[in-house]
Amino acid sequence: MTQIPRAGVIGNPIAHSLSPKLHSYWLNRYGLEGSYTALKVTEDELEKTLRELPSQGFIGANVTIPHKVNVMQFADQITDRATLIGAANTLIFKDDGRIFADNTDGYGFMANLRQGAPDWNPKAGPAAIFGAGGAARAIIVALADAGVPEIIISNRTRPKAEALRDDFGARISVIDWVQADKMLEDANTVINTTSLGMVGGQDFKVPLDNLRKDAVVTDIVYNPLKTPFLMAAEKRGCITVDGLGMLLHQGVPGFERWFGKRPEVDEATRQAVLS
Ligand code: ATR
């Protein structure tokens, strides 16, 4: 008897992850045999869990906070983009026991932006990024890859933005957090990668008066879907793209590798995850 392929998302906390809903919806939509569950795993348990999962029928997993960086040390093969980002969010367990690690966050970011703003031209001008955490890293790699000529970063903790500049080179400049609004003057792509604006969290307070009306503006926060940052940008006439699509699109490469079908990210997918 062949085992039903299993996949899941490894993290801690994990109860609020939307990934089980997403992958279960896709499995159901395409009539595929398989399962996808949330796996609460502490840092101490990470290695043991990774070694045990294949024998329990797991063919792969997504990885989320706090394991995205740590998981790299247990991987036998790592994609170039995961190496560059220094973190992985998608694992494939090979038949011979080896672990293959990829990072699809940048892909998810870019696919979401292209879907939500089809006329967006990465080469048209600088991108301005609020934040310098793990998500910013993946997004910078993706933007540079897409040909964005200049990337300006502003982060509350300036040395973290400078570290990104040191890692990713000449195309990047850093602006102090108290002057963050200055980077909006020329930017035709503007991205919030901080947690500001999330339900229950602190507000995004950087003034947006310098935001260009022809800028494409996106947020990685998706709860609420329309953050105050996106609302303010929309009011100025900018094209805005919410952050839910990044989460949905980052799941595509993993699902395709595990279950053999490239899934669609469309309105029905969004509704399934939001229901
Ligand atoms: P992720 O992996 O989602 O990027 P992270 O690595 O914890 O998460 O990064 C969170 C980002 O939100 C950081 O840029 C953080 O700024 P600091 O580097 O100064 O911590 C930013 N952030 C979180 N809370 C913030 C706040 N109250 N004001 C400004 N920036 C904040």
Side-chain angles (χ1 to χ4, degrees):
M1 196 184 84
T2 52
Q3 230 172 358
I4 291 176
R6 300 176 74 185
V9 56
I10 298 170
N12 187 24
I14 201 64
H16 295 292
S17 170
L18 293 178
S19 293
K21 251 188 182 173
L22 173 65
H23 291 270
S24 301
Y25 165 74
W26 279 334
L27 284 167
N28 193 33
R29 173 169 168 171
Y30 299 113
L32 298 168
E33 277 216 299
S35 73
Y36 186 105
T37 46
L39 302 162
K40 185 177 173 187
V41 176
T42 64
E43 278 160 82
D44 290 346
E45 296 164 337
L46 182 61
E47 181 171 12
K48 186 167 172 280
T49 303
L50 291 172
R51 305 283 173 224
E52 283 174 2
L53 285 178
S55 63
Q56 296 167 12
F58 280 80
I59 52 176
N62 285 124
V63 181
T64 188
I65 293 166
H67 303 310
K68 284 186 179 189
V69 173
N70 280 344
V71 78
M72 298 280 277
Q73 65 186 295
F74 307 118
D76 301 286
Q77 208 183 331
I78 301 174
T79 60
D80 289 348
R81 58 187 180 183
T83 304
L84 215 53
I85 296 164
N89 73 337
T90 304
L91 304 178
I92 291 145
F93 304 138
K94 304 269 180 83
D95 288 340
D96 60 8
R98 287 183 314 140
I99 297 175
F100 173 85
D102 191 10
N103 191 314
T104 66
D105 284 335
Y107 162 81
F109 170 81
M110 203 53 78
N112 184 39
L113 202 54
R114 291 198 190 280
Q115 189 174 41
D119 293 331
W120 176 68
N121 176 8
K123 301 192 171 90
I129 301 184
F130 296 100
R137 247 185 123 76
I139 289 169
I140 288 167
V141 170
L143 288 174
D145 209 39
V148 170
E150 186 189 345
I151 300 170
I152 315 161
I153 314 173
S154 187
N155 191 51
R156 175 181 60 177
T157 311
R158 186 183 168 113
K160 277 169 74 179
E162 286 168 349
L164 287 182
R165 182 189 58 200
D166 294 346
D167 283 356
F168 297 121
R171 232 186 282 187
I172 298 179
S173 56
V174 173
I175 282 193
D176 221 69
W177 186 244
V178 291
Q179 295 189 310
D181 63 315
K182 289 229 164 43
M183 69 178 174
L184 301 176
E185 284 168 5
D186 300 321
N188 80 323
T189 313
V190 178
I191 308 141
N192 174 41
T193 76
T194 74
S195 49
L196 294 171
M198 199 184 283
V199 213
Q202 294 190 40
D203 294 339
F204 185 97
K205 290 198 184 120
V206 178
L208 299 180
D209 305 321
N210 289 335
L211 191 59
R212 290 169 52 132
K213 290 181 179 35
D214 60 352
V216 171
V217 180
T218 184
D219 200 328
I220 68 159
V221 173
Y222 57 80
N223 189 13
L225 270 182
K226 208 174 260 184
T227 59
F229 170 69
L230 289 182
M231 263 191 268
E234 201 177 81
K235 235 174 157 179
R236 292 183 65 79
C238 302
I239 294 172
T240 61
V241 182
D242 71 50
L244 181 64
M246 177 174 170
L247 173 87
L248 306 181
H249 281 284
Q250 64 78 34
V252 168
F255 187 92
E256 183 178 22
R257 288 295 294 263
W258 305 321
F259 302 115
K261 163 85 192 165
R262 190 161 185 90
E264 286 285 324
V265 175
D266 53 13
E267 192 49 37
T269 314
R270 281 173 69 91
Q271 291 311 323
V273 169
L274 291 173
S275 66

